[in-house]
Amino acid sequence: MEPFTEETARAKVQAAQDAWNTRDPGRVALAYTPDSVWRNRDRFLRGRAEIVAFLREKWARELDYVLRAPVS
């Protein structure tokens, strides 16, 4: 596997941003491994099912949520 170039790294960041901005928890979770572990403040999420549930809750509260990656 080739190392990232600046161009491929930017494309990967943009793809992640685009996925998150769909606000589709299932689509976002598929970008992570089935046994992923996330931490959000004091919550630990294990696996895609917990990630999907967390994102559903998050986006039910944060109606105007938009992910914007920093541009450098």
Side-chain angles (χ1 to χ4, degrees):
M1 180 186 237
E2 263 184 66
F4 282 113
T5 64
E6 182 175 344
E7 181 181 344
T8 59
R10 286 182 184 274
K12 188 169 179 82
V13 168
Q14 186 64 56
Q17 180 177 321
D18 293 346
W20 274 78
N21 286 334
T22 66
R23 294 174 54 115
D24 178 343
R27 181 173 171 192
V28 173
L30 287 175
Y32 299 90
T33 61
D35 59 348
S36 287
V37 177
W38 283 15
R39 183 182 74 82
N40 183 269
R41 295 184 175 88
D42 63 343
R43 286 180 67 182
F44 288 86
L45 311 167
R46 288 176 172 71
R48 287 183 180 153
E50 288 187 18
I51 290 170
V52 168
F54 170 77
L55 292 174
R56 280 192 182 124
E57 291 171 20
K58 174 183 179 61
W59 291 331
R61 291 186 315 272
E62 299 176 16
L63 301 178
D64 295 325
Y65 178 89
V66 176
L67 178 67
R68 291 189 181 91
V71 178
S72 50

